[in-house]
Amino acid sequence: MRYTEFRTTNTILLPDDQSSIVRAAQVIRQGGLVAFPTETVYGLGAAATDAKAVTRIYVAKGRPADNPLIVHIAEVKQLEEVSTAVPDSAHRLAQQFWPGPLSLILPRSNRIPALVSAGLGTVAVRMPDHKVALALILASGVPIAAPSANRSGRPSPTTYKHVLADLAGRIDIVIKCCPCPIGVESTVLDLTSRQPTILRPGGITRAQLESALGCKVALAGRHSFQGVPLSPGMKYRHYSPRAPLILVTGSCARRRILVQSLFDYYSSRGLKVGLLNSVLQGCLHDSDIAQRLAASLYKTLREMDCWGADIILAEKIDEKGLGLAVMNRLGRAAVRVLKA
Ligand code: TXA
Ligand code: MG
């Protein structure tokens, strides 16, 4: 099921100053929707304790009802408000990585309506590393439920302009700020499974988590982990530009040849072909490539839509560090993966 019923709203764009925070917090407390910047992507926030407000998030985004939201907090003590049983491992990770791009899946407390978690008994929680986001949560006085502030299925927004392009007229406030520095969403780590399991790779890497926890961390497959579908969001094709995206894998030299021949083939048929990430490779370190690509990925996909690309060719990058998150997003945006 997908929530679709929807009332038009005048969306107000506010600067990221103190009086805007006060005004936006008031809107949150009254059950409204506020798009705010985080270090990963823009979030679309509502009071996490208010089921009616949270319903408005699903409606504004056209989000499937079985895809749960992340609850954002500004202080570690709020963890006890959102979860009934916070394990030591969560405290250890919070101490090391919060504020930061890590969402922890924990048992959900009754303070958080089931709707936030799409009916699951668990809840995703994170403390964003962004002063505007933290100030807004503190001023609101409640944890804020916030998915990425895009229409469902569109690339996540990393600038306020992306938010307006998708949601103007559907939400109450957008806080105008600089582009989100990381550019891809947080790592989602399930702490309720037998072994800590990454459900979505993001800004905090598997190696960082393993070193903080002192144990192995599993990585869930695309749709399931050990046969169980764990993160509902994983089953949807996501992050998609309008033009079909072809992801080219294989060795560097072979990739180059295949990308070039695909480019020539489509161009010769009069199609507008967008090229993603090929130029960076060979002139930068793998980790720099991943970071740069993450920061510009969604923006570039949206720009290719505006330019009117008919087809987008993307080259695989190394899956180390943030590269895993980038490849995860490219893999899910792609209509085809071709091995050179
Ligand atoms: O960086 C981020 O995480 C951004 C910013 C705004 O914080 N938020 C974000 O939210 O990316 P969203 O809704 O676009 O993605 C949330 C992901 C989805 O894949 C969802 O299925 C998963 O987290 N998720 C949320 N709650 C869950 C739960 N209780 N169990 C399993 N997966 C959950
Ligand atoms: Mg999203």
Side-chain angles (χ1 to χ4, degrees):
M1 175 182 124
R2 205 177 271 264
Y3 290 94
T4 49
E5 203 183 299
F6 159 73
R7 228 171 354 115
T8 309
T9 311
N10 276 334
T11 302
I12 301 165
L13 185 63
L14 294 178
D16 61 343
D17 57 21
Q18 189 49 34
S19 67
S20 304
I21 298 285
V22 171
R23 187 165 166 193
Q26 195 179 7
V27 166
I28 293 274
R29 280 196 301 275
Q30 290 168 346
L33 301 186
V34 175
F36 60 96
T38 80
E39 80 282 30
T40 57
V41 301
Y42 261 79
L44 177 60
T49 48
D50 179 344
K52 227 164 128 187
V54 171
T55 306
R56 291 191 63 207
I57 293 182
Y58 283 91
V59 173
K61 278 182 63 94
R63 185 174 177 101
D66 63 352
N67 194 2
L69 313 177
I70 295 173
V71 174
H72 295 67
I73 58 175
E75 295 172 302
V76 174
K77 66 176 187 216
Q78 286 181 295
L79 260 181
E80 316 299 332
E81 191 182 340
V82 303
S83 174
T84 45
V86 183
D88 286 348
S89 54
H91 283 293
R92 207 171 324 144
L93 293 170
Q95 196 180 16
Q96 195 150 340
F97 299 115
W98 282 359
L102 176 64
S103 299
L104 301 175
I105 308 284
L106 302 170
R108 178 174 54 83
S109 98
N110 288 339
R111 270 281 283 160
I112 304 298
L115 182 69
V116 170
S117 297
L120 297 173
T122 54
V123 63
V125 54
R126 90 174 186 102
M127 189 190 292
D129 188 12
H130 197 292
K131 65 178 193 333
V132 173
L134 293 171
L136 178 65
I137 301 163
L138 278 179
S140 304
V142 281
I144 292 185
S148 47
N150 51 302
R151 290 298 292 273
S152 227
R154 297 274 299 136
S156 289
T158 54
T159 70
Y160 72 90
K161 287 187 181 160
H162 299 161
V163 179
L164 288 173
D166 278 15
L167 296 174
R170 304 176 77 89
I171 64 178
D172 301 301
I173 287 177
V174 179
I175 301 181
K176 180 177 173 181
C177 199
C178 307
C180 306
I182 296 180
V184 291
E185 305 85 344
S186 62
T187 302
V188 177
L189 180 72
D190 189 356
L191 289 177
T192 65
S193 47
R194 203 166 30 84
Q195 184 183 15
T197 303
I198 295 176
L199 304 183
R200 179 179 72 183
I204 301 293
T205 65
R206 187 182 193 176
Q208 284 176 295
L209 295 170
E210 289 185 337
S211 129
L213 290 172
C215 68
K216 285 272 172 222
V217 169
L219 181 63
R222 195 170 153 165
H223 300 295
S224 67
F225 177 65
Q226 292 173 350
V228 185
L230 285 174
S231 187
M234 308 277 277
K235 72 176 187 239
Y236 295 103
R237 187 169 156 252
H238 254 220
Y239 317 113
S240 308
R242 293 197 178 89
L245 185 148
I246 297 177
L247 178 60
V248 179
T249 68
S251 75
C252 185
R254 283 162 179 260
R255 280 195 320 260
R256 285 289 144 83
I257 295 168
L258 182 54
V259 167
Q260 185 65 56
S261 52
L262 288 169
F263 182 87
D264 293 344
Y265 173 82
Y266 288 121
S267 306
S268 71
R269 275 158 181 72
L271 297 182
K272 284 170 123 178
V273 188
L275 279 180
L276 205 74
N277 67 313
S278 351
V279 277
L280 295 173
Q281 301 195 39
C283 49
L284 288 173
H285 269 287
D286 285 345
S287 63
D288 293 337
I289 291 174
Q291 241 173 50
R292 288 222 203 165
L293 201 55
S296 61
L297 179 66
Y298 292 136
K299 179 166 175 271
T300 310
L301 292 178
R302 282 174 180 263
E303 281 168 358
M304 291 212 184
D305 278 346
C306 292
W307 173 60
D310 296 305
I311 193 134
I312 301 169
L313 304 175
E315 260 191 65
K316 106 172 191 91
I317 63 162
D318 196 284
E319 293 198 338
K320 277 205 292 281
L322 198 55
L324 182 64
V326 172
M327 281 303 291
N328 169 273
R329 306 313 188 264
L330 282 176
R332 295 171 70 203
V335 294
R336 282 189 78 174
V337 180
L338 292 179
K339 189 161 189 295

